[in-house]
Amino acid sequence: MKSKIKTARLAGLLYLIWIITAVYSLVYVQSQTIVAGDAVATANKILANEFIFRTGIFNNIISSIVWLLIGLTLYRLFKQVNEQQAKLLVALVIVQIPAVFITEALNITSLMLFKGDILKTFELSQRQDLAMLFLKTNDYVTITLEMFWGLWLFPFGYLVYKSGFIPRILGVFLILNGIAYVIHFFTHILLPNYQALVFQIATPIWTLGEISIMLWLLIKGVKNNV
């Protein structure tokens, strides 16, 4: 019982750290470095905030490592509930990690292009356009990964629902959270004009699912009557 509580709270702590890193990257770093659709303004902003841009790269790598640790910790917590689903959860996390390292390599390359450290024979505008292409490629990779952000929550939600030591409603929230991610992914690909609307609808669901399970794991751990 004590071991299970410690494992659950460790998962909650890692989840909290992971959420903080995500907010730092998506909210703060992007607001300080990216000007949508403007290569020159983005170049100037990144060069003016180079350290922040570099912390974003470092942050995303750390975030991926933390996410892997979350998957492994959740496997330890839920393997006795259903080992096959617990393995699937870990697999759906691991498959995303290489893509993150590739995107961060592209971010470093973009920075080098903006600074003129590589492809020095190219015109400034050409280097800026190429750097923006790499940054935009990262956006498309993120959109693709969003499907997996949803898929991993299905085995996670199932395991929570079946566990008996975490309220079933949290498992339902996680599955709804996963569905919202998948719908948002397909909307972005197939119906981009409705992406903003779906994002507004999905955001409360995302908050409800992952924030709820994070707080339960961190504060409560597991039910006392287990």
Side-chain angles (χ1 to χ4, degrees), residues 18-62:
W18 183 52
I19 290 173
I20 291 171
T21 60
V23 171
Y24 178 78
S25 177
L26 296 174
V27 177
Y28 180 69
V29 174
Q30 289 210 6
S31 69
Q32 297 299 310
T33 57
I34 304 299
V35 180
D38 192 327
V40 176
T42 297
N44 292 333
K45 202 167 186 180
I46 287 177
L47 292 175
N49 299 284
E50 181 179 342
F51 181 74
I52 293 175
F53 188 75
R54 289 182 180 275
T55 63
I57 295 171
F58 179 77
N59 174 82
N60 290 339
I61 293 172
I62 295 299

Side-chain angles (χ1 to χ4, degrees), residues 114-187:
F114 284 136
K115 294 178 69 175
D117 291 343
I118 56 177
L119 299 181
K120 296 180 180 180
T121 59
F122 282 36
E123 296 290 335
L124 175 61
S125 60
Q126 291 176 318
R127 292 200 305 269
Q128 289 176 341
D129 286 342
L130 187 57
M132 286 299 295
L133 174 62
F134 289 149
L135 293 176
K136 196 62 179 177
T137 300
N138 288 349
D139 291 340
Y140 293 139
V141 172
T142 300
I143 292 169
T144 303
L145 288 177
E146 188 177 23
M147 181 178 68
F148 290 95
W149 297 352
L151 291 179
W152 90 288
L153 293 176
F154 294 148
F156 188 9
Y158 173 84
L159 289 165
V160 168
Y161 187 84
K162 290 291 187 180
S163 67
F165 53 79
I166 297 176
R168 285 188 166 189
I169 188 62
L170 296 183
V172 175
F173 289 163
L174 285 170
I175 292 172
L176 291 175
N177 194 335
I179 292 171
Y181 271 127
V182 172
I183 291 175
H184 188 255
F185 161 74
F186 280 111
T187 303

